[in-house]
Amino acid sequence: MRVYSATDVGQKRKMNQDYVFVCDGPVGNLPNLFVVADGMGGHNAGDYASSHAVQILVDEIRGDADFNPIKVIRHAIETANTEIIEQAQKDEHLRGMGTTMVVSTIVGHYAYIANVGDSRLYVIQDHIRQVTKDHSLVQEMVRMGELKPEEARNHPDKNIITRALGAERTVDIDFFDLKLEPGSTILMCSDGLSNMVEDQKLEEVILKPDTELAEKGEILIREANHNGGKDNIAIVLIEPFTNEVEKC
């Protein structure tokens, strides 16, 4: 397995509220773990929400005795959601904070994925495919047929999300399982990348021959910033079927 991860503040924001966690070795009973979180809230609340939610998630996974990856991830996200709500109630500076979260673990030839919010997971082999579905007002309008996909990209309400950790006592989580083929690459990212770089360009960069994974990631971040860098950028790239293992 080969992994690359990075966050970037972008061109317009003063604070980085995106947070990533990557480990290609065991985390509790999971064989590996990859997380992207995009925080929201005034002052440093968004920064705290994303980093704290991921820390809680990882700690819960490490202590979970279950071997079912979906159950393990579900329990950890639910616990993180409760913790974010409780922290916001205790500290008025954290009121209204929340975070998106996309989580994946790769078990053999299968990826198990959980998603809350509009951070995304794509799989790229011969072409790019978005696996997760955005929990956003604009994407709900697209799914209802009220808006064309090409109109959604620059819609003024694009940043309004319909699900997040910290929003409600009960968090609604989408789960996906995906069979991975040899040669496939997984891309996880915040909307600071997906809003700034078209899917076609993401595909072009990731399928670029004779290019190291880290270089592909750096190209994508540069591309997002070149196109305006209107938000923080978080990216995780995974090549599941390589022999190299990097330490966490």
Side-chain angles (χ1 to χ4, degrees):
M1 182 179 290
R2 192 181 288 122
V3 181
Y4 168 86
S5 67
T7 65
D8 188 273
V9 73
Q11 299 295 304
K12 305 293 185 182
R13 300 292 176 90
K14 293 181 179 178
M15 180 179 293
N16 192 347
Q17 297 186 332
D18 286 1
Y19 194 85
V20 301
F21 175 88
V22 301
C23 184
D24 59 8
V27 179
N29 287 332
L30 299 183
N32 45 65
L33 183 64
F34 310 97
V35 188
V36 169
D38 179 359
M40 63 207 77
H43 306 291
N44 64 346
D47 173 47
Y48 179 84
S50 58
S51 60
H52 192 59
V54 174
Q55 283 181 318
I56 296 298
L57 174 102
V58 173
D59 287 346
E60 288 297 313
I61 289 172
R62 284 184 174 138
D64 200 316
D66 208 309
F67 283 89
N68 182 309
I70 296 297
K71 288 182 179 178
V72 170
I73 293 170
R74 181 191 295 280
H75 176 255
I77 292 176
E78 289 172 345
T79 303
N81 180 65
T82 301
E83 177 71 14
I84 291 298
I85 289 171
E86 290 178 355
Q87 288 293 323
Q89 289 173 341
K90 290 176 187 174
D91 187 341
E92 64 181 54
H93 296 296
L94 301 177
R95 295 272 162 84
M97 72 173 173
T99 184
T100 71
M101 190 176 283
V102 59
V103 183
S104 68
T105 186
I106 298 166
V107 184
H109 284 261
Y110 285 86
Y112 297 92
I113 302 143
N115 183 52
V116 180
D118 63 354
S119 294
R120 293 181 176 179
L121 184 144
Y122 297 88
V123 63
I124 304 96
Q125 194 172 19
D126 299 323
H127 63 279
I128 191 166
R129 177 164 69 92
Q130 183 181 337
V131 177
T132 55
K133 297 176 182 176
D134 295 355
H135 304 137
S136 68
L137 180 63
V138 166
Q139 283 304 311
E140 294 290 347
M141 292 166 70
V142 170
R143 284 194 281 273
M144 296 288 286
E146 298 170 8
L147 199 66
K148 294 178 181 177
E150 57 269 22
E151 295 171 331
R153 189 163 197 86
N154 297 308
H155 195 280
D157 295 331
K158 184 165 181 59
N159 292 328
I160 299 175
I161 62 172
T162 54
R163 294 190 213 171
L165 274 74
E168 303 284 349
R169 280 282 171 192
T170 302
V171 60
D172 191 5
I173 312 163
D174 282 355
F175 288 95
F176 308 87
D177 58 84
L178 173 70
K179 186 174 183 183
L180 299 169
E181 301 296 335
S184 58
T185 301
I186 291 171
L187 164 64
M188 300 167 65
C189 64
S190 64
D191 64 346
L193 181 69
S194 57
N195 282 349
M196 292 289 101
V197 185
E198 298 275 359
D199 285 6
Q200 184 178 351
K201 185 64 177 180
L202 297 175
E203 176 185 299
E204 177 189 316
V205 171
I206 290 168
L207 293 178
K208 195 173 182 182
D210 304 319
T211 308
E212 291 295 323
L213 195 66
E215 186 179 349
K216 293 176 183 180
E218 289 161 5
I219 291 169
L220 290 177
I221 291 172
R222 285 200 302 270
E223 190 74 18
N225 281 321
H226 176 75
N227 291 342
K230 294 179 181 178
D231 202 348
N232 307 145
I233 304 154
I235 180 171
V236 174
L237 285 170
I238 309 160
E239 290 178 346
F241 305 121
T242 58
N243 293 325
E244 291 148 16
V245 176
E246 298 172 9
K247 291 185 178 179
C248 304

